[in-house]
Amino acid sequence: GEDVEQSLFLSVREGDSSVINCTYTDSSSTYLYWYKQEPGAGLQLLTYIFSNMDMKQDQRLTVLLNKKDKHLSLRIADTQTGDSAIYFCAESQTDSWGKFQFGAGTQVVVTP
Amino acid sequence: EADIYQTPRYLVIGTGKKITLECSQTMGHDKMYWYQQDPGMELHLIHYSYGVNSTEKGDLSSESTVSRIRTEHFPLTLESARPSHTSQYLCASSEYSGQGSFYNSPLHFGNGTRLTVT
């Protein structure tokens, strides 16, 4: 079956870069997503990448996809205290309705 | 910012009560979903819908039921709440791109309902 795995915790100093890693097992994944969840809120879509791309950059966010290793990463440049949150990796497959598989989330704590 | 709303935000209720969690979206999305998020953060799909009059059970067995009478509305009902139902419930929606489409529209989430059953 499908599986998406993430490390559970990341601590980073303000101003440094954060790198959150994710691995997935389903080779039929077509889209891979990063969501951010702040306390007491739902999930906010940050960015997503199609499986035929290697990299996508959007302001401070850079997504890297290694299809061979089924490895996805999210890099946050110049990490700020407002970036403290839980980050979820998710993948979806090509089928009639689009099933999404989420990782367990990585809690990112930004320290001054 | 996505236009999907959940009410109530917080609910504390006694065992045995019937409750309905509301979810509405104004984006005209055909697909809607309910996820249960446990304290360990992981999300579990409990129900989804392709469109009006379509409802399906998700991966996680749930004693809740859903209905989809209107495109914009996807309420979740628990006939008899139990302490094991204590959790955060997240509603989401996405566009339907057609069967066999390679494009899966991202999910847009509401802010969730945190349910506590005493």
Side-chain angles (χ1 to χ4, degrees):
Chain A
E2 309 87 3
D3 205 6
V4 177
E5 294 190 357
Q6 303 176 236
S7 52
L8 293 181
F9 184 80
L10 175 68
S11 179
V12 63
R13 293 184 66 162
E14 190 175 10
D16 289 349
S17 292
S18 312
V19 179
I20 308 166
N21 295 301
C22 171
T23 58
Y24 60 98
T25 57
D26 197 321
S27 58
S28 66
S29 298
T30 50
Y31 277 88
L32 296 130
Y33 310 82
W34 283 105
Y35 284 87
K36 176 184 180 182
Q37 186 178 33
E38 297 185 62
L43 277 69
Q44 172 196 353
L45 177 69
L46 287 178
T47 187
Y48 59 96
I49 188 168
F50 189 48
S51 59
N52 69 351
M53 297 169 65
D54 297 322
M55 186 185 86
K56 181 178 180 181
Q57 187 159 2
D58 183 2
Q59 299 182 330
R60 292 191 298 123
L61 305 178
T62 302
V63 179
L64 293 176
L65 175 61
N66 182 328
K67 289 182 286 295
K68 175 176 168 290
D69 295 336
K70 298 190 182 69
H71 181 265
L72 182 74
S73 67
L74 175 69
R75 178 177 180 269
I76 306 173
D78 186 25
T79 309
Q80 304 297 309
T81 54
D83 296 323
S84 291
I86 301 169
Y87 291 80
F88 289 90
C89 169
E91 58 91 13
S92 67
Q93 300 137 36
T94 307
D95 64 17
S96 61
W97 74 277
K99 180 179 178 180
F100 294 82
Q101 192 76 24
F102 284 85
T106 299
Q107 178 147 21
V108 173
V109 174
V110 181
T111 57
Chain B
E1 195 166 320
D3 297 319
I4 180 164
Y5 308 100
Q6 291 185 243
T7 57
R9 286 295 308 278
Y10 303 94
L11 180 62
V12 180
I13 201 161
T15 297
K17 300 289 186 185
K18 177 180 177 179
I19 57 170
T20 296
L21 308 185
E22 302 288 349
C23 177
S24 294
Q25 49 96 5
T26 59
M27 296 170 284
H29 286 170
D30 286 315
K31 294 191 277 188
M32 295 190 75
Y33 311 74
W34 277 103
Y35 285 87
Q36 185 172 336
Q37 185 175 30
D38 53 25
M41 304 182 295
E42 197 165 351
L43 282 84
H44 301 284
L45 180 66
I46 51 175
H47 297 283
Y48 60 96
S49 166
Y50 293 103
V52 171
N53 295 325
S54 150
T55 61
E56 303 286 343
K57 288 191 181 294
D59 302 323
L60 181 69
S61 173
S62 173
E63 292 159 349
S64 57
T65 59
V66 291
S67 62
R68 190 88 185 276
I69 298 170
R70 303 197 315 266
T71 298
E72 62 270 21
H73 195 214
F74 192 41
L76 180 144
T77 298
L78 276 165
E79 291 292 333
S80 180
R82 296 209 302 269
S84 61
H85 296 139
T86 295
S87 189
Q88 165 134 286
Y89 292 84
L90 293 170
C91 180
S93 72
S94 69
E95 292 180 65
Y96 179 54
S97 307
Q99 186 165 350
S101 170
F102 278 92
Y103 175 63
N104 284 329
S105 171
L107 294 176
H108 297 273
F109 283 86
N111 279 328
T113 294
R114 184 164 294 281
L115 173 66
T116 303
V117 184
T118 60

